[in-house]
Amino acid sequence: MYKGIQRLPVRPLWRSLCQSPHNRATLRLATVKRQSTFAIPSRLLQTPALCSIPLTASIGQSPTRRPTPAERESAIAEQAPQSKLAKFFHELLRFLDTWVVEPLLTLRRLVHILLIFVPVVLATPAMLIGHRRGDQERIGTLWWYDFLAAQMERAGPTFIKLAQWIASRTDLFPLELCARLSKLHSHVDPHPFSHTRHVLREAFGRDLHEIFSELDETPLGTGAIAQVYKAKVRPHILVRYMRDQFLVEDNIITPDCVQTLDVDGTPINLHTSVAIKVLHPNARQIVHRDLKIMEFFAKALTLIPTMHWISLPDEVRVFGEMMRDQLDLRVEASHLARFNQLFEHTMNVEFPKPVLAFTTKDMLIEEYENGIPLNAFLEQSAYVRKHPDLAAVYDNKIANIGKCLFVVRWLTGQLIVCVGICRAECVSGNIMVKFYKPKAYHPVQLAWSRAMGGYLKDDGEVAVERVLAVRDNPAEMQKELEALEEEGYYPRLVFLDAGLVNELNDVNRRNFLDLFQAIAQFDGYQAGELMVERCRTPELVIEPEVFALRMQNLILGLKQNTFNLGAIRIGNLLHNAMNMVRAHHVKLEGDFVNVVVSIMLLEGIGRQLNPDLDLFKSALPVLRDYSIKDHGKATIEGVKVAQQHGSAPHWIKVWMFLEMRNMFVRNERDDEWLQLCDFLCFNN
């Protein structure tokens, strides 16, 4: 049916729409003796929406509403065999599948995995080759890490995801190993379009041309679990099911925007482009078998005394839950909806809008985002540093968006981290940059435009196309970025993937905030004690007193540099902390470690764009806004807490700390600042 991009003919579609009793009345129809006449506004005759304007035979006729894919999936799941014979065969097939077919297929998969990883085990003695220099690993160890990474890549999507997850656990595994595993990507052959067509037809229960006006058979990207396509939805489907999500204001210009009629006959502009994510065939079965095999080996490795503190079965269980969430695309859709709600009023951060009614376990439909991969700006930043005569454009703005995005949730105790196996996701293009004009959204400008009968257009999509056209030429891209900055464009970060999201629960949030308060007060010994007391296995920690003293020494080094925190590499600081955690067998919660990895990732990307990035300084405006939010409610509650318990909330202490630091930095009074550190960071 679809070859490349297929456009459906206008006239046959127009006739079918006129005769269909299922379409909503959006044009005025006068039925006189079986003859229909309708009036079309002249300005609609030049719009692409004309070919998809839904019609009915009369205004009063109510179209039959078809169930959405989500409703169809729910109804099918609730269906049960009616006759006893049907129930018997259903149970028999399930029994054979569970106890005969699956064990045989799992055994076959086990043999394949053994053939891949037995050479890795046999090559373990090579780790003793060479000499260690300080914290550097032996040459043989580095070779073995590379060999392990290559074999995990050969083992398939599940083990690639496992490698990326291991890379995020720098508290359990050596840094050199994590660095190598974090670079693995899924080299998976795309599944045939026939499977995608089958999934879509099963989900919608009708032909695809009734839903989509265009559908590209070539996938935009293929991952370990699913692949993504681009399509355009018919306007009458948008009006009925996703009007508010895809509505475009009159002052915004987008290439995929069409004008159609609302249910009340009012002309409206709508996005039509969507991204469709479809799971690979048999993805669940393959991952389920791999997880069974991992559980078996995790229990076997636990018998080794030196591996007991890692609790591999628990880690495999956590990894399995993560993988099962990724295999249900409804989970990712709910994450996207949550992030859209959290950042609803934020202009410089954006997430694709999911269509929950059109999302099933195997299919996710969301708003298509056309942007510039973040890697393009990282490469451009490296090009500018090689040419001293050039000035960086947008680098500082993009870095500031990223750090404020994290700090606003971090310091207010509402931390939600979108990891997406963060290191690997960023380099694969799941963070993009778009442009917008702030003036087009300013209340005064909007009021003036309405009074004058016009709008200041925001053509950020056009700006994106201008940059993409010269992306392969750094010199031309530099000129284009400079031109966009002069024209008043600002960058906007778009996060495409929200498949993996960590939200700290009440216990972990309290532990995290207590630890942060101890660090903010430069009490490294207390921070070390808290990490030991609240880790998973405090009884297995090696020399907890020594660990607390080493943390104290680390934090004292931070205290001596508080006047120039911008020069401190937080990533290096956290790396040293993770080395100590691993050496002393302090097993931290996975959510906490993901927070640490996210900070390291944030700083790493930010410093590529802005070498003078200061995460602490960026917290100041966030704390000021938080203190006056809701008429100063948080500040008033903080004062009440201080009066009742004799100790202010940690965020107020940090706020005072940073305000004083900022004042002394402006006046270059670093000696007085160091003398006041002990006074500001009182222990209570």
Side-chain angles (χ1 to χ4, degrees):
M1 180 185 298
Y2 291 95
K3 294 183 178 179
I5 297 178
Q6 187 178 41
R7 294 181 180 271
L8 299 177
V10 175
R11 291 184 179 178
L13 175 64
W14 181 264
R15 295 193 188 100
S16 64
L17 289 173
C18 291
Q19 298 170 0
S20 173
H22 302 292
N23 295 319
R24 187 182 302 275
T26 57
L27 292 179
R28 298 181 179 275
L29 297 180
T31 306
V32 181
K33 296 182 180 180
R34 300 183 181 179
Q35 293 182 354
S36 299
T37 60
F38 34 86
I40 305 175
S42 58
R43 60 195 180 104
L44 287 182
L45 292 175
Q46 300 176 352
T47 66
L50 184 59
C51 64
S52 299
I53 294 178
L55 304 173
T56 59
S58 64
I59 296 178
Q61 186 174 356
S62 177
T64 303
R65 184 184 182 277
R66 295 192 180 186
T68 64
E71 294 170 344
R72 284 175 52 83
E73 183 180 54
S74 178
I76 293 173
E78 294 175 358
Q79 287 180 356
Q82 299 297 326
S83 65
K84 292 183 179 181
L85 183 61
K87 290 181 180 180
F88 171 76
F89 279 108
H90 178 75
E91 293 296 330
L92 178 61
L93 290 175
R94 187 169 64 174
F95 174 83
L96 292 175
D97 181 68
T98 304
W99 297 102
V100 179
V101 178
E102 273 301 313
L104 291 175
L105 293 176
T106 303
L107 180 61
R108 186 183 69 173
R109 177 63 174 161
L110 174 61
V111 173
H112 179 230
I113 291 175
L114 288 175
L115 292 175
I116 292 176
F117 288 104
V118 164
V120 177
V121 177
L122 296 178
T124 303
M127 299 177 68
L128 301 177
I129 299 175
H131 300 282
R132 300 190 64 169
R133 296 181 180 179
D135 294 334
Q136 295 182 356
E137 300 282 0
R138 294 184 175 92
I139 296 177
T141 302
L142 297 179
W143 174 86
W144 189 84
Y145 289 163
D146 290 330
F147 184 39
L148 175 62
Q151 294 301 92
M152 293 191 78
E153 190 172 22
R154 289 182 57 193
T158 308
F159 285 88
I160 292 175
K161 288 291 184 181
L162 176 64
Q164 294 172 352
W165 176 80
I166 290 175
S168 69
R169 296 306 303 265
T170 54
D171 60 319
L172 301 180
F173 303 99
L175 179 66
E176 293 293 341
L177 174 61
C178 294
R180 282 158 172 76
L181 295 182
S182 67
K183 298 176 182 178
L184 294 187
H185 300 290
S186 304
H187 299 288
V188 181
D189 294 332
H191 64 247
F193 184 74
S194 58
H195 172 73
T196 299
R197 183 189 296 113
H198 173 73
V199 171
L200 295 178
R201 282 180 174 174
E202 288 293 319
F204 287 101
R206 45 180 159 166
D207 291 336
L208 300 187
H209 72 269
E210 298 182 33
I211 306 296
F212 305 105
S213 59
E214 295 181 15
L215 178 55
D216 195 344
E217 294 186 9
T218 304
L220 295 174
T222 302
I225 302 297
Q227 63 191 41
V228 183
Y229 298 87
K230 181 182 178 182
K232 289 188 176 182
V233 181
R234 295 199 176 279
H236 70 278
I237 299 294
L238 294 172
V239 171
R240 178 175 298 183
Y241 296 104
M242 52 193 97
R243 174 193 177 279
D244 295 337
Q245 292 172 284
F246 286 77
L247 186 65
V248 181
E249 299 295 335
D250 291 338
N251 63 327
I252 300 177
I253 301 175
T254 59
D256 68 328
C257 180
V258 300
Q259 189 176 70
T260 186
L261 298 180
D262 205 349
V263 291
D264 59 356
T266 305
I268 57 173
N269 299 324
L270 293 172
H271 282 298
T272 58
S273 294
V274 295
I276 306 174
K277 180 181 286 190
V278 179
L279 281 184
H280 292 313
N282 302 320
R284 288 192 186 86
Q285 293 85 339
I286 295 173
V287 171
H288 180 68
R289 294 164 196 156
D290 287 344
L291 290 176
K292 282 186 176 181
I293 296 171
M294 289 178 188
E295 290 174 2
F296 170 78
F297 283 107
K299 291 177 181 178
L301 290 173
T302 305
L303 300 176
I304 303 175
T306 56
M307 301 289 291
H308 183 65
W309 75 278
I310 300 180
S311 303
L312 283 177
D314 293 338
E315 298 302 327
V316 170
R317 177 183 55 80
V318 173
F319 173 73
E321 293 174 356
M322 178 197 76
M323 289 299 297
R324 292 184 186 97
D325 284 345
Q326 285 204 303
L327 290 169
D328 188 347
L329 296 181
R330 296 173 300 184
V331 175
E332 181 175 353
S334 65
H335 291 165
L336 288 172
R338 178 84 182 279
F339 279 114
N340 272 284
Q341 182 182 7
L342 288 173
F343 297 96
E344 181 180 3
H345 303 293
T346 305
M347 292 296 301
N348 51 17
V349 176
E350 185 175 335
F351 291 83
K353 298 180 180 66
V355 185
L356 297 179
F358 282 13
T359 297
T360 64
K361 293 178 66 176
D362 298 332
M363 177 187 72
L364 167 62
I365 295 183
E366 62 185 27
E367 179 185 12
Y368 174 77
E369 297 285 357
N370 183 34
I372 307 160
L374 182 61
N375 273 347
F377 287 86
L378 299 180
E379 295 168 0
Q380 188 67 19
S381 180
Y383 171 80
V384 170
R385 286 196 295 271
K386 295 178 182 178
H387 298 78
D389 56 318
L390 299 178
V393 184
Y394 290 122
D395 288 0
N396 291 348
K397 290 185 175 68
I398 294 174
N400 290 337
I401 293 173
K403 67 185 180 182
C404 289
L405 169 68
F406 183 85
V407 171
V408 69
R409 300 292 167 189
W410 179 32
L411 291 178
T412 58
Q414 302 170 356
L415 184 62
I416 302 175
V417 183
C418 178
V419 269
I421 304 279
C422 46
R423 294 184 180 180
E425 295 286 343
C426 286
V427 295
S428 61
N430 280 341
I431 299 180
M432 308 190 81
V433 179
K434 296 174 66 174
F435 294 99
Y436 72 101
K437 283 185 177 179
K439 292 182 179 179
Y441 303 93
H442 195 279
V444 176
Q445 179 65 46
L446 289 174
W448 175 259
S449 298
R450 292 191 184 97
M452 299 300 295
Y455 290 96
L456 178 62
K457 301 294 184 181
D458 179 11
D459 52 352
E461 297 283 350
V462 179
V464 168
E465 295 296 336
R466 289 166 56 182
V467 175
L468 290 175
V470 295
R471 180 187 172 184
D472 296 331
N473 189 331
E476 292 298 322
M477 183 172 174
Q478 181 70 15
K479 295 179 182 179
E480 197 63 54
L481 292 176
E482 291 174 353
L484 292 177
E485 188 177 40
E486 292 179 0
E487 295 171 21
Y489 288 96
Y490 273 65
R492 171 187 290 150
L493 286 183
V494 183
F495 296 85
L496 300 181
D497 198 317
L500 292 177
V501 174
N502 277 353
E503 182 174 4
L504 298 183
N505 57 33
D506 293 338
V507 175
N508 289 339
R509 184 182 293 114
R510 184 68 264 165
N511 292 342
F512 180 81
L513 296 180
D514 289 345
L515 178 63
F516 179 76
Q517 180 174 346
I519 295 175
Q521 295 174 348
F522 299 115
D523 192 346
Y525 192 85
Q526 182 187 3
E529 286 185 328
L530 285 172
M531 293 175 71
V532 172
E533 291 173 2
R534 302 181 184 183
C535 72
R536 286 190 181 182
T537 54
E539 70 279 0
L540 298 179
V541 176
I542 300 174
E543 297 179 331
E545 293 290 333
V546 176
F547 174 76
L549 290 173
R550 292 182 67 184
M551 283 294 298
Q552 175 69 8
N553 184 55
L554 187 66
I555 299 303
L556 286 177
L558 175 65
K559 179 179 179 180
Q560 298 301 320
N561 292 279
T562 51
F563 186 72
N564 190 23
L565 286 174
I568 296 176
R569 292 188 175 272
I570 303 299
N572 292 342
L573 180 71
L574 294 174
H575 163 56
N576 293 332
M578 290 297 102
N579 282 341
M580 291 189 293
V581 163
R582 188 170 57 253
H584 290 269
H585 293 185
V586 182
K587 189 164 190 253
L588 303 176
E589 291 290 340
D591 292 344
F592 175 82
V593 177
N594 281 325
V595 171
V596 172
V597 173
S598 298
I599 297 173
M600 298 169 69
L601 172 69
L602 170 67
E603 191 201 34
I605 294 177
R607 285 191 183 274
Q608 290 185 59
L609 297 171
N610 179 14
D612 299 323
L613 178 70
D614 186 350
L615 290 178
F616 292 91
K617 185 177 180 180
S618 65
L620 197 52
V622 173
L623 288 170
R624 288 171 180 168
D625 293 340
Y626 185 68
S627 66
I628 61 175
K629 185 179 179 181
D630 297 331
H631 306 288
K633 179 180 178 180
T635 306
I636 296 173
E637 291 179 354
V639 173
K640 291 180 180 179
V641 171
Q643 292 175 345
Q644 294 174 0
H645 303 284
S647 176
H650 82 284
W651 72 269
I652 292 183
K653 296 179 182 179
V654 175
W655 182 23
M656 294 171 54
F657 175 89
L658 294 177
E659 289 286 6
M660 293 295 293
R661 170 180 173 259
N662 188 53
M663 182 186 70
F664 281 97
V665 166
R666 287 200 307 266
N667 295 281
E668 298 182 355
R669 298 160 62 185
D670 50 342
D671 293 334
E672 296 180 37
W673 163 248
L674 291 175
Q675 294 175 5
L676 283 174
C677 275
D678 292 328
F679 172 75
L680 290 172
C681 302
F682 44 88
N683 294 321
N684 54 14

